[in-house]
Amino acid sequence: MEFETIRVSADGAVGQLTLNRPDRLNAIGVATMQDIGEAARWFDRRPEVRVVIVRGEGRAFCAGADLKDPPVAGAAPGEGRSWAERREVGQLGLRMADAVEQMRAVTIAQVHGYAVGGGVVLMAACDLRVAAEDAVFSIPEIDLGIPLAWGGIPRLVREIGPALTKELVLTCRRFTPAEAKAAGFVNRVVPAAALDAEVTALAAELAAKPPVPVTITKEHVNAVTRSMGAGLTAFADGDALLATCFAPESLDAARAYRERTVGSGKRKG
Ligand code: COA
């Protein structure tokens, strides 16, 4: 199946979903959100695919929302569009993360380099996470003048608890794979050179298990976390984005943040 912004493949029981915009560190714009949703449905139509590895092409897993894609970036939020159209765009990130989380196959996030904002949410939507030692995590939305959306808050609270979620989201500070592992957010941390082999072996191990109990276990854990409320509160995340990104101080924050990260005044690294 051909997509504009991702590569999708299946080799027997193991599939791959590769974010494929390395020139933008696999930042996620509208097209990628739609592609990932469609890819989830593509995998669901292939019962032989038991495990899907979610990874990024190039030197990063994912640099989060595409700050050069105005409908996503917040700084120029959909001029000329109706409110209903803007709301649709606002909800796309949530739909994308939900689609990944609800796939039938077990998903493994294979994470190297940067995982920023929406990239962390995409990781959280996967069932398992394996990170390279050189991975760098951060959730900078508040510096960008917006709340963390895409169902990120309930997923993080589910995985790492409320206090650490608040700290990481409020401070926007970077955190390491070691800290993420200690918090229970990543399952394994491995040397960068071993990442591919480690994830391939884990995928093969899971794909060789009896299918029905694997699927039931995934669905059962998801049902338990849903019953604890995780995910139920994110239905209006797109509205929260729209409500905040027009506030003058948010527009100022977004402008300044984009300038220093992806603009001409950017600091390196
Ligand atoms: N959206 C669009 N383009 C992005 C991007 C994003 N989120 N993140 C990186 N890019 C682009 C850069 O503009 C650059 O493009 P250029 O070569 O045309 O200038 C390219 O990807 C490489 O990024 P660069 O900033 O040169 O790499 P770096 O190693 O110096 O820094 C980051 C990497 C991730 C620290 C930095 O790119 C960054 O902070 N990006 C913004 C991440 C972010 O805040 N995302 C939103 C989360 S809600």
Side-chain angles (χ1 to χ4, degrees):
M1 179 106 182
E2 293 293 316
F3 291 95
E4 184 189 332
T5 67
I6 63 176
R7 277 198 321 271
V8 164
S9 64
D11 180 11
V14 178
Q16 300 239 3
L17 190 166
T18 304
L19 305 176
N20 193 25
R21 301 175 82 211
D23 55 325
R24 290 198 185 183
L25 305 186
N26 300 315
I28 297 179
V30 166
T32 306
M33 296 179 203
Q34 289 166 334
D35 282 354
I36 290 176
E38 189 50 47
R41 290 185 281 279
W42 186 84
F43 282 120
D44 275 348
R45 290 196 296 274
R46 283 163 182 75
E48 71 280 10
V49 179
R50 309 274 314 286
V51 180
V52 173
I53 298 167
V54 179
R55 54 191 293 281
E57 186 63 50
R59 65 181 171 93
F61 175 69
C62 173
D66 189 331
L67 299 180
K68 297 171 180 166
D69 191 354
V72 179
E79 247 72 60
R81 290 164 181 251
S82 71
W83 194 258
E85 285 169 329
R86 290 176 179 186
R87 186 169 190 273
E88 275 301 300
V89 173
Q91 292 288 66
L92 278 176
L94 175 65
R95 296 220 179 94
M96 170 197 73
D98 286 351
V100 171
E101 192 158 290
Q102 285 157 20
M103 275 168 64
R104 186 191 31 74
V106 174
T107 48
I108 306 174
Q110 172 177 328
V111 184
H112 72 293
Y114 289 101
V116 184
V120 174
V121 178
L122 180 59
M123 288 174 66
C126 292
D127 297 309
L128 302 175
R129 294 146 220 142
V130 181
E133 281 167 353
D134 67 356
V136 179
F137 305 120
S138 65
I139 307 166
E141 269 75 356
I142 287 187
D143 281 348
L144 194 50
I146 55 174
L148 178 65
W150 301 7
I153 293 288
R155 288 190 169 91
L156 285 173
V157 172
R158 176 186 73 194
E159 302 298 331
I160 63 176
L164 189 55
T165 297
K166 284 178 183 161
E167 190 206 321
L168 295 176
V169 176
L170 293 175
T171 64
C172 306
R173 73 168 169 86
R174 289 184 174 184
F175 55 107
T176 62
E179 184 177 0
K181 168 90 166 60
F185 186 57
V186 300
N187 298 86
R188 299 181 190 179
V189 180
V190 301
L195 182 66
D196 242 349
E198 181 82 16
V199 173
T200 303
L202 178 60
E205 181 187 340
L206 296 174
K209 303 279 185 205
V212 175
V214 168
T215 306
I216 288 176
T217 301
K218 167 171 176 160
E219 289 177 0
H220 195 169
V221 174
N222 285 357
V224 171
T225 56
R226 266 200 309 280
S227 76
M228 291 158 64
L232 298 178
T233 58
F235 69 95
D237 266 18
D239 299 316
L241 277 181
L242 286 178
T244 47
C245 67
F246 287 104
E249 63 271 26
S250 293
L251 288 169
D252 288 347
R255 238 176 262 120
Y257 182 87
R258 282 155 44 116
E259 174 63 15
R260 71 175 183 268
T261 56
V262 299
S264 55
K266 75 182 174 188
R267 296 187 302 242
K268 278 284 153 189

